[in-house]
Amino acid sequence: MTMTATPPRPTLSAPRSKLTTGHLPAWSVWSILAGSLLAMLAVFGIMAIGSEEPINLAGWLVSSALLYLVLIFTISTIIESRRKAVDRLVTGVVTSAFAIAMVPLISVAWTVVVNGIARFDAEFFSSSMRNVVGEGGGVLHAIVGTVLITGMAALISIPIGLMAAIYLVEYGEGKRLGRGITFLVDVMTGIPSIVAGLFAYALFALFLGPGIRMGFMGSIALSVLMIPVVVRSTEEMLRLVPNELREASYALGVPKWRTIVKVVLPTSIAGITTGIMLSISRVIGETAPLLITAGFTNSMNYDLFSGRMQTLPVFTYTEYANQGIPPEAYTDRAWAAALTLILIVMVLNLIARIVAKVFSPKTGR
């Protein structure tokens, strides 16, 4: 009896997966970026030989970014995989877009700080422009006017915006009135600020006559711009509150109004406060409506219902537009007032972040 040998079973080698291909080290991305910058710097330097003009900084950075994107995509395709290369390409495009967006922001901030820091002294924050011609003077009257007008606008806008948002979320869902209010809020969000100023001026001119100017008119104009922002931000925060919290409160026999006051608002208070602070920051720098309604003056005025009132945006505009002798004194005051306004907006945003962190619902046990 002859025995035949069983042939060995062939083994199948698994194909190499694209997910297990090579991987570029972390330092390679920075090396490719540095190489792109140096390569384009050399190209632009050669092109600038014999020319009196300096190297085009914007062109150099844009060209370097394009070269980096091409190189990172090609190298990643060869060493890693096409899937990873596309991921690196998209990451580079997003990062480049972020860098481009940061350029004007940093440029504006740096320009304002450099030009405005020269007049940041005690006199600038403790005196007004009354009887001041040329050098000297301060911005105290404009700071007081900005605080009073914006504060009154907030007192008008916040209650109206909160109640309108509560109605839209808790009572007006699916109703015709709710849809109408939502449409009007969307329209008001996009109106130009000058229209709000004209509305406030026309409203008061009907009762007090043409040519009237006072701080309260400016507060009305700013409140027209603030209300839609407060309504929209508050509405979105209220919609984020889980319905289970409302239903649990209703199951305990709590009335709807008390559920809103004790459950819904405390849960969303952090986001609501942030939206309110952002709406104040949005209107505090308006110039056009305040030029029409509050006007401008060089004297202190603490009364919102009598006489013209100066604000920081209008002060910045008038100092730059109506320069005297020496002109440097007027431009220095304008830059310093602009820097003061930026610092106030920065403080408001920091307060909003602190309030949002303190009052946010605690998720821990």
Side-chain angles (χ1 to χ4, degrees):
M1 181 176 181
T2 59
M3 298 186 64
T4 58
T6 303
R9 181 177 297 177
T11 58
L12 299 177
S13 58
R16 190 178 183 184
S17 174
K18 289 292 184 180
L19 298 177
T20 59
T21 54
H23 184 74
L24 289 174
W27 55 265
S28 62
V29 176
W30 299 104
S31 299
I32 296 173
L33 178 60
S36 302
L37 291 171
L38 293 176
M40 296 311 302
L41 180 61
V43 173
F44 275 79
I46 295 174
M47 294 173 59
I49 294 177
S51 175
E52 297 180 356
E53 297 182 358
I55 296 177
N56 188 345
L57 181 60
W60 169 55
L61 293 176
V62 171
S63 302
S64 301
L66 293 176
L67 179 60
Y68 165 77
L69 294 176
V70 172
L71 291 176
I72 194 66
F73 179 77
T74 305
I75 296 174
S76 180
T77 302
I78 296 173
I79 298 178
E80 297 176 316
S81 65
R82 185 174 181 82
R83 176 174 171 270
K84 187 65 175 178
V86 173
D87 178 73
R88 290 188 181 276
L89 176 64
V90 174
T91 302
V93 171
V94 172
T95 305
S96 301
F98 169 75
I100 293 173
M102 290 297 295
V103 168
L105 176 62
I106 296 175
S107 177
V108 169
W110 177 257
T111 303
V112 175
V113 170
V114 169
N115 292 281
I117 200 67
R119 276 307 315 271
F120 257 48
D121 48 38
E123 181 186 6
F124 185 74
F125 292 101
S126 61
S127 61
S128 65
M129 290 297 296
R130 183 177 177 85
N131 299 326
V132 174
V133 178
E135 299 180 349
V139 75
L140 180 62
H141 61 307
I143 295 177
V144 171
T146 298
V147 171
L148 292 177
I149 291 177
T150 309
M152 179 59 69
L155 289 177
I156 297 172
S157 305
I158 293 173
I160 296 176
L162 285 176
M163 293 181 184
I166 291 173
Y167 174 80
L168 291 175
V169 176
E170 303 294 338
Y171 297 96
E173 190 74 27
K175 295 183 179 180
R176 183 177 300 177
L177 179 59
R179 292 194 297 267
I181 294 175
T182 301
F183 175 75
L184 291 177
V185 168
D186 292 338
V187 173
M188 289 178 62
T189 304
I191 64 171
S193 59
I194 188 67
V195 176
L198 291 173
F199 163 76
Y201 176 80
L203 178 64
F204 281 83
L206 288 175
F207 300 98
L208 302 178
I212 183 68
R213 299 286 191 280
M214 59 180 174
F216 186 69
M217 293 172 60
S219 298
I220 295 296
L222 295 184
S223 65
V224 173
L225 300 174
M226 279 187 64
I227 288 174
V229 180
V230 176
V231 172
R232 182 58 64 204
S233 60
T234 304
E235 183 182 0
E236 295 300 325
M237 291 300 105
L238 294 178
R239 292 188 188 279
L240 293 177
V241 178
N243 284 327
E244 289 77 5
L245 296 178
R246 298 181 177 90
E247 294 170 356
S249 179
Y250 298 151
L252 294 174
V254 180
K256 187 169 186 176
W257 69 269
R258 195 171 183 86
T259 299
I260 295 172
V261 174
K262 295 294 184 178
V263 177
V264 177
L265 290 180
T267 304
S268 58
I269 189 64
I272 292 174
T273 305
T274 303
I276 290 173
M277 288 296 182
L278 293 178
S279 67
I280 295 174
S281 301
R282 180 248 186 274
V283 302
I284 198 173
E286 291 291 345
T287 306
L290 297 179
L291 273 173
I292 299 174
T293 55
F296 55 90
T297 179
N298 291 329
S299 303
M300 298 290 298
N301 183 9
Y302 298 95
D303 190 356
L304 284 169
F305 300 93
S306 175
R308 298 168 179 259
M309 185 172 286
Q310 185 71 286
T311 56
L312 282 170
V314 176
F315 178 84
T316 303
Y317 168 75
T318 54
E319 287 295 307
Y320 186 81
N322 305 317
Q323 297 181 16
I325 299 175
E328 294 80 9
Y330 292 81
T331 55
D332 288 345
R333 285 194 293 264
W335 283 112
L339 180 57
T340 304
L341 187 60
I342 290 177
L343 292 177
I344 292 176
V345 174
M346 184 182 300
V347 170
L348 289 176
N349 282 273
L350 290 176
I351 293 174
R353 290 182 177 273
I354 293 174
V355 170
K357 185 176 181 180
V358 171
F359 291 98
S360 59
K362 304 300 185 291
T363 56
R365 301 189 65 169

